[in-house]
Amino acid sequence: MSKILFVLTGADHWTLADGTLHPTGFWAEEAVAPYEAFKAAGHEIVVATPGGVVPTVDKSSLAPEFNGGQENADRVAAVLTAATELQHPVRIEDVNLDDYAAVYYPGGHGPMEDLAVDADSGRLLTRALESGRPVGVVCHGPAALLAAERDGANSFAGYRVAAFTNAEETQSGFADQAKWLLQDRLTEAGVLVQIGEPWAPNVVVDRNLVTGQNPASSAPVAEELLKKLG
């Protein structure tokens, strides 16, 4: 049994361009699908957040329309309630990467608020990438890649990744309200964003980095990480 580090946003809001605080957090499916897959495979999960704050689930991600109906929405909510790891996170700044076999970052708009500028998370991602251990990142989670730097450049420059696209942000109604768009900012940092169909699973594997475009990509990302863990 290996330990897998789940790094979650500690933010419960996303500051829009006009200063409005939009309630958010992590996206339920992107945490639950990999959580269940890793647990079923016998792995232990440790949750880390900035400052060790208990992470907030984006309430809208628990809505029936985002979970294929009320029955599954209730099931997802029950998994989150039962996942005691979420109630007892460690601080990102205290993480010893040597203790973990893999690192996983789910999304939600929260990472746009905190992980995108969190130097401790950025250093952790850089070390994880350089170590060769599997690194999984989904949806808005790749915002965290923006804080990862090495020798004055982004640590992930030249890597192919999937991430939440401008088209999806437009269709979700936030593109014209956001201070910046994830696809654009990653591209500016030299990261090679591989764009798939909106809302369809799109997983990109580049060396030890496994990334997914949207919530539907979270289960396939978990599958790829499990393959790498062997």
Side-chain angles (χ1 to χ4, degrees):
M1 182 174 73
S2 301
K3 282 207 287 191
I4 298 176
L5 183 69
F6 268 45
V7 181
L8 270 67
T9 177
D12 61 5
H13 67 272
W14 176 35
T15 307
L16 302 178
D18 65 359
T20 301
L21 302 185
H22 173 70
T24 186
F26 68 88
W27 197 260
E29 180 180 358
E30 295 165 25
V32 168
Y35 178 91
E36 292 186 306
F38 297 147
K39 284 285 208 176
H43 298 293
E44 181 183 345
I45 291 170
V46 175
V47 171
T49 62
V53 303
V54 175
T56 299
V57 63
D58 188 317
K59 299 289 190 296
S60 56
S61 70
L62 296 173
E65 57 266 32
F66 293 122
N67 291 283
Q70 188 64 56
E71 183 177 351
N72 195 55
D74 291 343
R75 189 192 69 79
V76 167
V79 172
L80 291 176
T81 299
T84 55
E85 298 94 339
L86 290 168
Q87 303 305 316
H88 304 283
V90 301
R91 301 177 347 138
I92 290 176
E93 48 269 43
D94 294 338
V95 167
N96 180 356
L97 189 62
D98 293 340
D99 294 338
Y100 302 96
V103 178
Y104 173 70
Y105 279 66
H109 278 113
M112 302 276 280
E113 185 75 20
D114 61 354
L115 296 179
V117 293
D118 190 294
D120 292 305
S121 171
R123 283 190 287 271
L124 176 67
L125 277 167
T126 298
R127 290 199 307 272
L129 191 68
E130 292 174 343
S131 74
R133 54 175 46 76
V135 178
V137 196
V138 170
C139 200
H140 287 93
L145 309 187
L146 298 171
E149 294 187 346
R150 180 178 50 204
D151 302 327
N154 189 279
S155 303
F156 293 85
Y159 277 77
R160 294 179 301 107
V161 307
F164 203 69
T165 63
N166 290 357
E168 287 165 321
E169 203 70 86
T170 299
Q171 291 175 22
S172 65
F174 286 109
D176 60 351
Q177 302 179 56
K179 289 182 179 179
W180 48 273
L181 297 177
L182 180 56
Q183 178 187 323
D184 291 347
R185 192 63 70 84
L186 287 169
T187 301
E188 290 164 9
V191 181
L192 309 176
V193 181
Q194 312 291 293
I195 299 169
E197 287 296 315
W199 312 112
N202 177 32
V203 175
V204 175
V205 181
D206 190 343
R207 289 156 276 187
N208 57 315
L209 179 64
V210 182
T211 50
Q213 180 172 312
N214 45 38
S217 306
S218 56
V221 163
E223 290 176 19
E224 291 295 334
L225 288 174
L226 285 171
K227 286 180 194 173
K228 286 186 173 294
L229 285 169

